Amino acid sequence: MYKEKILNLLRLSRTAYFSGEELARKTGVSRTMVWKHIKSLERDGFGIEAMPSQGYRITFEPDILRQNDIKQGLKTKVVGREIHLFPETASTNTLAMEMASQGAAEGTVVIAELQTGGKGRLGRKWISPKGNLYLSVILRPNIPMHKAPIITLMGAVAVTSAIRNLCNVRVAIKWPNDILIANRKVSGLLTEMSAEQDRIRHLVLGIGVDVNMEQDSLPPDLRPLVTTLAAEAGTKINRTELLREILRQLDCWYRAFLNNTADVLREWEKLNMTVGSRIAVSGAGETLEGLAQGIDEEGRLIVLRDDGSTRHVAAGDVTIVKGKK
Ligand code: BT5
């Protein structure tokens, strides 16, 4: 806590020096303790210049997520009530599912700087090097099971809105769980659920966003299909700010979802690039081609086939054959 206070004071000015005495007085610890906290910040990766007879100032901030920074100004009601931050884990979704089954509160968020076993859908992998965002949110909605897929759409609305608010990039949702910039994937969502009969015990909404990673940390075959926010925006993105905005948007859209799912679906329609396009959707051993007409009240994609029949598709992988215009 004192360490955070010292950091906040140092952050007030990048040019002025804060003497050890001033930092000690303002935080209420001894000068020796101030020095120890400064050393600890340096171990965290901060560059701190110590100028004899003048004091300390920050010369470099590392691109790391810190619990206190994330919580600063985060006035969410449900999402982010509790935040668990790890330097590394196999999968934040797996960890969040375990925590949920042990009774973790709704809105608990699990974040990791890197994942060694990041998961996509259907046993696929989510490549998770340092520099991106990986988070999972525990939710306990009192809804019938057939409404659960809308949670993924809700998450996509929240993440897309957050990116649009903070980064100057043209990002859009591809049904059901992809977020793309100019046809390259920049984010993916994975919802996992524990249920009994028709009752949901808990859900975990997992979100991966490619933010600042180096393109060469991806396997070569993925590079042409994937982009990062930094590459698109032409500048490094502040991950803490983006994470905070994602949590705010999730908090807002989750509560909207509980109130009236139709609002979420309407917003989803505005932010998506699938509806109105000619698409091919594959899943469950078949591929279906046609015009994506819309989504129904359960979040299924409505496909108008060339023979005039329509199909409501609950899950699958979409390829855009011809974009809308
Ligand atoms: C997804 O699956 O898009 C869901 C991704 C969810 C990841 C988050 S990270 C936090 C939480 N913890 C987890 O373990 N998972 C969640 P799917 O639609 O099946 O797409 C998977 C495919 O995306 C892979 O087969 C690759 O083609 C591609 N891919 C893998 N890593 C990627 C990356 N970092 N960025 C973009 N695409 C990637």
Side-chain angles (χ1 to χ4, degrees):
M1 187 188 72
Y2 293 118
K3 181 170 149 187
E4 299 307 319
K5 278 191 178 169
I6 291 168
L7 178 59
N8 285 341
L9 283 169
L10 290 175
R11 276 175 169 161
L12 290 177
S13 169
R14 286 304 172 89
T15 47
Y17 293 88
F18 284 84
S19 70
E21 193 193 324
E22 191 180 358
L23 290 173
R25 188 163 29 83
K26 289 202 163 136
T27 51
V29 295
S30 69
R31 284 180 64 175
T32 318
M33 281 313 288
V34 167
W35 183 81
K36 282 193 174 155
H37 289 309
I38 296 272
K39 287 290 146 199
S40 167
L41 286 168
E42 282 179 344
R43 279 195 302 276
D44 291 348
F46 284 86
I48 298 176
E49 185 187 10
M51 192 70 122
S53 81
Q54 296 206 51
Y56 305 100
R57 74 180 177 107
I58 296 180
T59 53
F60 174 76
E61 284 240 13
D63 181 19
I64 47 168
L65 299 172
R66 309 179 79 249
Q67 177 85 244
N68 279 280
D69 294 343
I70 299 167
K71 285 186 175 159
Q72 212 140 71
L74 183 76
K75 291 188 189 123
T76 52
K77 292 202 170 70
V78 179
V79 175
R81 272 202 288 223
E82 232 179 88
I83 295 177
H84 299 268
L85 178 60
F86 300 91
E88 177 180 326
T89 187
S91 153
T92 56
N93 258 40
T94 305
L95 198 54
M97 284 295 281
E98 282 165 19
M99 288 167 69
S101 64
Q102 284 158 21
E106 175 165 71
T108 298
V109 179
V110 180
I111 305 165
E113 289 276 14
L114 92 86
Q115 297 183 122
T116 50
K119 299 187 293 186
R121 291 176 303 155
L122 307 167
R124 293 189 282 230
K125 287 195 172 74
W126 188 255
I127 311 292
S128 311
K130 270 190 181 170
N132 293 333
L133 289 176
Y134 311 104
L135 63 142
S136 300
V137 187
I138 297 173
L139 300 171
R140 301 181 181 280
N142 185 11
I143 51 160
M145 219 141 74
H146 64 268
K147 292 267 186 195
I150 303 176
I151 290 282
T152 307
L153 306 188
M154 181 282 292
V157 165
V159 175
T160 304
S161 307
I163 294 174
R164 285 193 179 187
N165 287 350
L166 286 190
C167 315
N168 191 18
V169 294
R170 290 173 61 85
V171 64
I173 305 168
K174 189 181 82 168
W175 186 90
N177 69 320
D178 286 356
I179 299 177
L180 308 183
I181 301 175
N183 258 329
R184 289 170 131 196
K185 190 154 166 171
V186 74
S187 172
L189 296 100
L190 173 69
T191 305
E192 295 184 87
M193 175 165 66
S194 165
E196 55 189 16
Q197 278 131 16
D198 195 38
R199 198 183 73 87
I200 295 173
R201 271 199 220 105
H202 52 258
L203 282 163
V204 164
L205 170 63
I207 299 167
V209 189
D210 299 319
V211 188
N212 292 327
M213 74 170 164
E214 299 295 335
Q215 199 76 3
D216 61 12
S217 40
L218 289 171
D221 57 320
L222 270 188
R223 286 177 207 165
L225 310 173
V226 174
T227 190
T228 64
L229 293 176
E232 297 296 328
T235 178
K236 243 185 147 190
I237 305 292
N238 183 323
R239 287 186 305 143
T240 304
E241 273 179 23
L242 180 61
L243 174 61
R244 227 189 275 135
E245 183 64 10
I246 290 173
L247 297 179
R248 283 197 200 106
Q249 294 289 334
L250 282 171
D251 191 58
C252 158
W253 285 108
Y254 179 56
R255 284 184 291 122
F257 163 85
L258 293 179
N259 206 25
N260 182 2
T261 51
D263 290 345
V264 176
L265 296 178
R266 214 171 304 120
E267 190 65 17
W268 187 91
E269 293 243 7
K270 282 191 212 156
L271 299 175
N272 100 95
M273 50 162 297
T274 313
V275 172
S277 299
R278 188 170 176 81
I279 56 133
V281 53
S282 58
E286 64 162 351
T287 300
L288 199 80
E289 205 176 308
L291 177 74
Q293 262 194 328
I295 41 169
D296 68 15
E297 71 290 346
E298 292 182 16
R300 293 177 302 193
L301 189 66
I302 308 168
V303 183
L304 173 65
R305 304 174 77 190
D306 294 341
D307 64 7
S309 65
T310 52
R311 287 270 290 272
H312 291 228
V313 184
D317 287 301
V318 168
T319 312
I320 308 281
V321 177
K322 193 167 183 294
K324 62 178 170 188
K325 252 286 162 289

